[in-house]
Amino acid sequence: MTTTSALRDVVVVGSGPNGLAAAVTLARAGLAVTVVEGQPEPGGGVRTLPLVSDRVGPDEGLLRDVCAAVPAAAPTSPFFAELDLPARGVDLLVPEVSYAQPLDGGRAGVAWRDLARTVEGLGEDGERWRRLVGPLVRHHEDVARIALSDKRSLPVAAVVGGAGAALAAALAVLSTRAGDRWWRTDVAHALITGVAAHTITALPSVAAAGTAAYLGALAHSPSGWPLVRGGIGEITRVLVADLRAHGGQLVVDRPVRGREDLPAARHTLLDTHACVAARMLAEPFRGRLERLPVGAGVCKLDYVLSAPVPWAHPDVARAGTVHVGGSVEQMRQAEAEVAAGRHPDRPVLLVSDPASHDPGRSGRSGLRPLWAYAHVPRGSDRDVRPQAEQQLERFAPGFRDVVVDCVVTPASRMADHNAALVDGDISGGAVSMWRMVARPGPRPDPYAVAPGVWLCSSSVPPGPGVHGMGGHHAARRVLRELGLPVPSLAPGR
Ligand SMILES: Cc1cc2nc3c(=O)[nH]c(=O)nc-3n(C[C@H](O)[C@H](O)[C@H](O)COP(=O)(O)OP(=O)(O)OC[C@H]3O[C@@H](n4cnc5c(N)ncnc54)[C@H](O)[C@@H]3O)c2cc1C
């Protein structure tokens, strides 16, 4: 199948985890693959770059995860599981606390990776946590299979094997306000609501409940919510090495702005936001992609600290991910404001302190990075550092005293370092139950967007996250059209 002419078999635009997953799958099938990336380095949402600020120079040796830091979906993603990241030298670090939810008065909800320990810590709600989350944990591999499916060919064995019932029970409790009665304490309720808030949409909702069920199950699975030793960019290193080992090429610094920039190929896969992909297509294909609404945005905050975050509750410091948003009602209020296009006074933040789990992430003089982002309206050009610091100081008194500097990237500037992050939308389009299935539109094959052109980013099922499955599903469609078998992804092949 490999061509000898200048016309490549396959061009992939974009080298995020989905683009590289597609490229690796197709290169392993024997196709001539070229990946064209607009930035100087590959990886998109999975890059680790030097953290340099006005006050901290490159000699300190600090690194920042530009976008994703916690690849929670990767270990149970069928693509990454078969690729076998650990066998290729990616050290997935499993924090003993997957996530935590600090609350006022020095209290906190703590999701230990160990389910029993979590149940024990949640007091009156412990048994309720076990009844709701326990079945999801027991069936977490099937839950992941359902969540990461193409939403067209549901894995029936997974659904009927117990995961379907566990998901239905979780959705019944978590997707409406009527389900609030399930909880006896504000702690457990806030703990699970912090996970639901990952969707950056109004709370409660079916989509957010689905996210809470899926990520909530993974948090107590053997792989937990891992961090990557040395930074998440290690995953990209492995993907690029595998692509090259199978004859694939990577061209960086080559933005594709329109149809005229698209390199000629028999098949073109677009690893970018649906509305960016639309610019590369003619009508009627363009209009179909433009219908996927752009989602809410984030403002990224890359802090340099002189010491660990002084969380009021000591177990919060053991968490790989901290959800900073306060009580259930405060998070609901903040997410409703964002959905309405307003900036909340108390935004929801996601925070991770990598050096607490990977000492190598500290700098030469002992400084350390702190990864954080705040939920903001789409396209926001506001620097929300003051609001973010107010939230952090609230749950970690003395936080401001350990801040050395902070590099702020408002939502409106996110696309400067990744064209797929339109208006700071990190989800590849708005997330709702309908939009998780009809993504980018209500069509039998969401990946085929024009003759010979395939969308393979988080704008197609299964949606956002570091799992590579949007790319892998799209690549399988291409292989089916070419009558080629799906190759093994195992190391050494
Ligand atoms: C701040 C932030 C924090 C996040 N945290 C997490 C997390 O902790 N865990 C998690 O699982 N997920 C997280 N995510 C989401 C995750 O990063 C994405 O869902 C994932 O990277 C999507 O992969 P992708 O391949 O579809 O797109 P991307 O990773 O966004 O890659 C797209 C690539 O295509 C390139 N590109 C786009 N358009 C063009 C063009 N026209 N021409 C040339 N190149 C182009 C871009 O430069 C980029 O390299 C986060 C995202 C952000 C922004």
Side-chain angles (χ1 to χ4, degrees), residues 175-196:
S175 58
T176 64
R177 282 183 183 264
D180 292 358
R181 286 187 305 239
W182 174 264
W183 304 107
R184 295 287 173 271
T185 68
D186 60 337
V187 178
H189 195 187
L191 186 61
I192 198 72
T193 303
V195 187

Side-chain angles (χ1 to χ4, degrees), residues 14 16-18 37-38 44-45 67-70 256 271-272 280 418 426 457-458 465-466:
N18 282 316
E37 166 56 51
C67 298
V70 185
V256 176
D271 177 25
T272 191
M280 301 173 202
N418 179 345
I426 69 169
S457 65
S458 52
V466 179

Side-chain angles (χ1 to χ4, degrees), residues 55-233:
R55 292 198 198 139
V56 183
D59 290 352
E60 182 63 16
L62 289 181
L63 297 173
R64 68 185 184 114
D65 291 320
V66 179
C67 298
V70 185
T76 45
S77 147
F79 172 77
F80 279 119
E82 193 182 347
L83 199 74
D84 199 345
L85 291 173
R88 294 165 188 261
V90 177
D91 192 1
L92 295 172
L93 306 166
V94 184
E96 59 178 334
V97 174
S98 292
Y99 62 94
Q101 180 81 28
L103 294 165
D104 287 325
R107 300 177 310 137
V110 180
W112 298 88
R113 203 205 50 74
D114 180 351
L115 177 64
R117 196 165 175 188
T118 309
V119 166
E120 201 182 297
L122 288 175
E124 236 190 303
D125 266 332
E127 219 22 68
R128 285 166 182 273
W129 190 273
R130 190 200 302 282
R131 272 163 48 204
L132 198 69
V133 181
L136 293 165
V137 179
R138 226 171 11 261
H139 298 289
H140 72 272
E141 283 172 341
D142 281 347
V143 169
R145 229 165 267 142
I146 295 167
L148 299 182
S149 73
D150 62 5
K151 308 291 190 290
R152 298 295 182 279
S153 47
L154 266 189
V156 177
V159 176
V160 298
L167 278 168
L171 291 183
V173 171
L174 301 174
S175 58
T176 64
R177 282 183 183 264
D180 292 358
R181 286 187 305 239
W182 174 264
W183 304 107
R184 295 287 173 271
T185 68
D186 60 337
V187 178
H189 195 187
L191 186 61
I192 198 72
T193 303
V195 187
H198 278 240
T199 38
I200 326 186
T201 187
L203 297 171
S205 69
V206 181
T211 299
Y214 166 49
L215 291 179
L218 296 182
H220 302 294
S221 73
S223 49
W225 286 10
L227 279 76
V228 182
R229 189 181 301 283
I232 198 161

Side-chain angles (χ1 to χ4, degrees), residues 1-2 9-10 25-32 267 475-487:
M1 189 45 80
T2 304
D9 290 335
V10 177
T25 306
L26 295 170
R28 279 175 164 256
L31 295 167
H267 290 277
R476 292 171 73 110
R477 295 294 201 281
V478 174
L479 292 174
R480 196 164 69 196
E481 187 156 312
L482 294 172
L484 291 173
V486 179

Side-chain angles (χ1 to χ4, degrees), residues 295-347:
V298 306
C299 176
K300 179 81 191 305
L301 301 145
D302 286 298
Y303 279 99
V304 178
L305 305 184
S306 59
V309 181
W311 299 109
H313 191 296
D315 289 340
V316 177
R318 302 159 98 159
T321 305
V322 183
H323 301 139
V324 176
S327 70
V328 171
E329 280 314 318
Q330 285 163 349
M331 287 186 282
R332 285 178 177 173
Q333 173 70 26
E335 296 298 77
E337 296 270 351
V338 167
R342 294 187 295 268
H343 290 85
D345 292 338
R346 294 177 153 189

